[in-house]
Amino acid sequence: MFKEAKYFFIALTVTGLVVFFTSCKSKKETPARTGIKVVADEKPSAQVNEAKFTSYFIEGCAALQPQKQNLPEALRLFTECKKIAPNSAALKYELGKTYKLMGAYELAIQNAKASAEADPKNEWYQLLLIDCYVSLKQYNQSIKLRELLVKNFPGKTEFQEDLAIEYSIIGEYDKSYKIYNELEKTYGINEQITLNKIKLLKSQKKFKETEEELLRLANYNKTEPRYLAYLADFYIEQRQMDKAKEMYDKILLVDPNNPSINLALHDYYSAQGKDNEAYDCLKKAFQNPDLEVDYKIDAARYYLARAEKQSESDFYPRGIELCELLVKVHPKEARGNEVYADFLLLGGKTKEAAKYYYLAAAGETVDYRVWSQLLFTDSELKQYDSLEHHSAKAMDLFPSQAVPYFFNGVANMQLKNHKKAAQSLKDGLEFVSDNKSLMMDFYTNLGDAYNYGKEYTKSDKAFDDALKIDADNTYVLNNYAYYLSLRNESLEKAEKLSRKANELVHDNRNYMDTYGWILYQQKKYKEAEEWLARAAKMGPAKADILEHYGDVLYKLNKPDEAYSQWIQAKQAGGYSEALNNKIKLKKLND
């Protein structure tokens, strides 16, 4: 309170020469008057000593400045000064400061005490010694010096305030309270002084006196809602809810749109179990653009966390409503759009969530979670153009995160950019560490991408690497086997892989089709017919299975039945040139 900025210059007086320069102290701490007298041992060298002292002193002060602080250098320079003028009070002061900054408190006190005793009227010398005592929590010593400062500088209110604070630290509450009263008599009612008094009264459980002080402050300025809020808070602490409500009503008369009061009313009603009234107050606060957006986001996240745990409660619909207000009032706030998207996703509204994740990502380039959620919603919605674009951007923003590479690979696979997909998946593998599930996904998709890109050796290696992680992964077992069968390569290995997939998962028509087709490639037509017939009859018509079944029937000299299956395959969506030729010629062209 009532702090003053001060500026000053130190005068070095040595054999008649006066040199002025700025002290090491900051503007606030600069001594008001300091005369440094250097007494040389020999008169002929007095001016030389004077010049050396001045140079060392100025350089030492410069080394103490916060911008380029070099404490060892400052100490070295001041030590050189000490050789010339060992009894200089100003030098002792700077040495005291240096030792204090270095944590050498005994030496700091020794030098600070010497400067303070040399010039008892110099407030800055006294303050340095006080600071040293306070750093060591030697409050009895620091209080004695503060009492002298108050006596010597009665007009400096900051000295009185500091003394009051230290009285309260050692439990001398009455002395502290008396100082605040004296300040109030001199300068009138002041918010900070009153709050300091209230703190003292509360610490002594003098609640009646606390209320009186708060009432005095509130009556001093009846148009200041903050003072009424202090009273309301006090009444809530004392469980005097009716009086607290009375204060809130008064505040709303003075400032009806005050968001802080609506928040306080929210807490007030919540404490009484009046959830509907509390929520109405919270909504009013959310509608006010002056309420800090951080609070709104924290409140929305609280509702989200509760909604996740209590799905049948009111937390979800109320959280959604709060988020709608949040993004309406703060449309460009990335975190607001993000938490709204989280709510929408929790409610199964993936398409709407994607929109707000995009808005959040557009305004936030450093939050990886926002981007990962955006990629997830793109993938769920099968919006592969968007997924490719957004994942490429995320790869640039977060080059060491594996997931964007994975999604970019998936998107490019769906867009038939197989080489690009393989490159993204290969690059992303570098950033997968201990997550075996994610690594499995990378290898699996990499095997698919290389296969479609006709890089078969790389495809086989990717699948082999995947099976090293999980030898029972039926997706990999089936796809790997199927790709080998299409190439009519390593059929014995393909048969083992496919048989294992069918042993692990029964009655999966796709796995059965793969096994049947491998048997077909091995010219085991009768066994192949059994598997393909079962697969063809399971579920709705599927073109590739029906075509395979037709092929094996033809090999078993059943051309009419084969032709029937090819027609059904065509009707089920089969469109390959090979299928059309089979239908056209009514025969299989190997």
Side-chain angles (χ1 to χ4, degrees):
M1 176 184 176
F2 310 115
K3 301 292 185 184
E4 299 175 1
K6 300 178 179 65
Y7 301 83
F8 85 106
F9 297 90
I10 294 179
L12 293 182
T13 307
V14 186
T15 63
L17 177 65
V18 179
V19 181
F20 288 98
F21 60 90
T22 306
S23 164
C24 307
K25 295 303 294 178
S26 65
K27 293 178 180 178
K28 176 181 174 182
E29 298 176 327
T30 307
R33 58 187 183 87
T34 303
I36 302 178
K37 294 184 179 180
V38 180
V39 181
D41 293 333
E42 300 178 11
K43 285 186 179 181
S45 63
Q47 288 186 342
V48 173
N49 284 337
E50 174 184 283
K52 285 183 178 180
F53 185 95
T54 301
S55 176
Y56 290 144
F57 196 86
I58 292 174
E59 290 179 26
C61 287
L64 278 185
Q65 296 306 304
Q67 306 93 301
K68 49 183 177 180
Q69 193 174 80
N70 187 338
L71 297 179
E73 178 64 6
L75 183 60
R76 184 189 71 79
L77 291 163
F78 290 139
T79 301
E80 292 297 323
C81 288
K82 191 175 180 180
K83 294 175 183 177
I84 300 170
N87 298 318
S88 166
L91 177 60
K92 297 283 188 183
Y93 172 72
E94 299 298 344
L95 276 168
K97 279 169 47 183
T98 306
Y99 283 125
K100 180 175 178 291
L101 289 169
M102 296 175 75
Y105 288 105
E106 288 188 13
L107 290 170
I109 288 176
Q110 178 183 327
N111 283 276
K113 192 173 183 180
S115 64
E117 289 175 351
D119 190 353
K121 296 291 185 179
N122 187 310
E123 62 190 273
W124 301 104
Y125 293 178
Q126 309 304 316
L127 287 171
L128 175 61
L129 183 55
I130 288 169
D131 286 345
C132 290
Y133 285 135
V134 169
S135 295
L136 297 175
K137 297 185 179 180
Q138 297 180 9
Y139 296 114
N140 289 330
Q141 297 289 344
S142 62
I143 283 175
K144 289 178 183 177
L145 293 171
R146 289 196 190 280
E147 288 172 341
L148 286 173
L149 277 179
V150 169
K151 181 179 178 182
N152 292 330
F153 302 92
K156 296 210 169 188
T157 57
E158 62 264 36
F159 292 163
Q160 297 175 59
E161 289 182 78
D162 292 341
L163 179 58
I165 291 170
E166 287 203 17
Y167 277 143
S168 68
I169 289 173
I170 65 171
E172 294 279 0
Y173 300 121
D174 290 340
K175 288 183 178 180
S176 180
Y177 194 80
K178 182 180 178 182
I179 290 175
Y180 288 129
N181 272 339
E182 291 298 322
L183 287 171
E184 206 169 59
K185 287 178 184 177
T186 304
Y187 299 102
I189 293 177
N190 174 276
E191 179 179 353
Q192 191 56 54
I193 289 177
T194 300
L195 293 177
N196 286 337
K197 291 169 71 176
I198 288 167
K199 186 176 179 180
L200 289 171
L201 292 168
K202 280 186 176 181
S203 65
Q204 300 174 82
K205 301 187 184 306
K206 294 182 178 180
F207 300 120
K208 185 175 183 300
E209 292 86 344
T210 299
E211 181 183 14
E212 290 173 355
E213 288 291 342
L214 285 167
L215 285 168
R216 285 178 62 240
L217 184 61
N219 290 328
Y220 170 71
N221 186 349
K222 295 182 179 180
T223 62
E224 177 50 72
R226 189 170 64 253
Y227 300 160
L228 294 169
Y230 293 151
L231 261 170
D233 291 343
F234 169 75
Y235 287 135
I236 287 179
E237 289 173 6
Q238 299 303 307
R239 300 186 181 279
Q240 299 180 38
M241 307 307 285
D242 291 340
K243 285 188 174 181
K245 179 62 166 58
E246 183 182 341
M247 293 302 107
Y248 290 136
D249 290 341
K250 285 184 178 180
I251 293 170
L252 291 175
L253 287 174
V254 176
D255 188 2
N257 296 319
N258 190 312
S260 299
I261 301 310
N262 281 308
L263 292 179
L265 280 168
H266 167 267
D267 295 342
Y268 166 79
Y269 285 122
S270 294
Q272 300 181 73
K274 297 180 179 180
D275 294 336
N276 291 334
E277 291 88 340
Y279 178 66
D280 287 340
C281 292
L282 187 59
K283 279 201 302 182
K284 289 178 182 177
F286 263 66
Q287 291 168 353
N288 194 318
D290 294 332
L291 176 63
E292 289 184 8
V293 71
D294 286 347
Y295 180 90
K296 295 179 182 180
I297 291 168
D298 288 344
R301 291 201 182 284
Y302 169 79
Y303 271 77
L304 177 65
R306 297 297 297 272
E308 289 173 335
K309 293 179 181 179
Q310 302 175 30
S311 58
E312 301 301 320
S313 67
D314 289 334
F315 285 107
Y316 182 80
R318 288 183 170 179
I320 279 284
E321 189 175 13
L322 291 175
C323 285
E324 288 171 349
L325 292 171
L326 173 57
V327 298
K328 180 180 179 181
V329 178
H330 308 280
K332 295 182 180 180
E333 173 56 53
R335 293 169 301 157
N337 285 306
E338 179 189 2
V339 71
Y340 187 28
D342 289 343
F343 260 105
L344 291 166
L345 192 61
L346 180 63
K349 300 177 181 179
T350 307
K351 186 174 183 179
E352 294 88 338
K355 171 186 174 182
Y356 286 94
Y357 281 131
Y358 173 75
L359 290 173
E364 177 60 80
T365 59
V366 295
D367 189 345
Y368 171 69
R369 180 189 179 277
V370 173
W371 283 90
S372 65
Q373 290 294 92
L374 174 62
L375 301 183
F376 170 77
T377 52
D378 282 343
S379 177
E380 285 290 296
L381 294 167
K382 295 180 169 54
Q383 296 176 344
Y384 296 114
D385 284 333
S386 295
L387 181 60
E388 195 282 330
H389 175 71
H390 294 150
S391 59
K393 177 69 173 175
M395 286 160 61
D396 288 338
L397 293 171
F398 313 101
S400 60
Q401 291 288 349
V403 171
Y405 293 89
F406 175 75
F407 278 120
N408 190 261
V410 170
N412 278 299
M413 280 280 290
Q414 295 297 324
L415 297 171
K416 311 299 182 186
N417 302 324
H418 299 123
K419 290 191 179 295
K420 191 173 179 182
Q423 187 63 51
S424 293
L425 291 165
K426 179 177 175 292
D427 291 344
L429 264 173
E430 178 184 347
F431 306 108
V432 183
S433 52
D434 298 328
N435 190 333
K436 288 187 177 181
S437 176
L438 182 58
M439 187 171 289
M440 188 72 185
D441 288 338
F442 265 92
Y443 279 126
T444 301
N445 282 274
L446 192 56
D448 289 341
Y450 278 137
N451 177 74
Y452 288 118
K454 299 183 179 181
E455 297 185 74
Y456 300 125
T457 302
K458 291 181 179 179
S459 174
D460 292 351
K461 184 180 184 308
F463 284 128
D464 285 331
D465 287 336
L467 291 174
K468 288 176 185 176
I469 298 172
D470 182 4
D472 294 334
N473 187 293
T474 55
Y475 178 88
V476 175
L477 290 167
N478 178 72
N479 277 27
Y480 191 7
Y482 187 60
Y483 294 150
L484 290 172
S485 73
L486 289 178
R487 286 150 41 197
N488 204 11
E489 294 178 4
S490 304
L491 292 180
E492 186 178 344
K493 179 177 182 179
E495 190 271 336
K496 289 180 180 178
L497 294 170
S498 181
R499 184 172 68 245
K500 185 175 183 179
N502 280 282
E503 288 171 352
L504 290 168
V505 177
H506 301 290
D507 298 327
N508 182 306
R509 67 190 308 205
N510 292 318
Y511 296 176
M512 293 166 65
D513 172 60
T514 297
Y515 192 62
W517 187 247
I518 293 169
L519 293 170
Y520 174 89
Q521 295 286 59
Q522 292 177 319
K523 303 186 186 310
K524 299 175 182 179
Y525 300 126
K526 191 61 183 173
E527 294 175 60
E529 180 193 15
E530 294 176 12
W531 283 86
L532 292 169
R534 288 171 55 200
K537 293 172 184 177
M538 292 175 63
K542 193 170 182 187
D544 54 346
I545 296 177
L546 292 168
E547 185 178 356
H548 289 163
Y549 185 32
D551 290 356
V552 77
L553 287 171
Y554 189 86
K555 288 292 186 180
L556 291 169
N557 297 315
K558 299 176 182 179
D560 292 338
E561 292 179 45
Y563 180 76
S564 175
Q565 295 301 318
W566 292 334
I567 290 294
Q568 291 181 54
K570 178 75 171 178
Q571 293 170 345
Y575 59 86
S576 70
E577 184 179 347
L579 177 60
N580 289 332
N581 285 333
K582 293 171 191 176
I583 294 171
K584 181 179 179 180
L585 301 174
K586 293 187 178 181
K587 70 175 186 178
L588 182 64
N589 294 318
D590 289 334

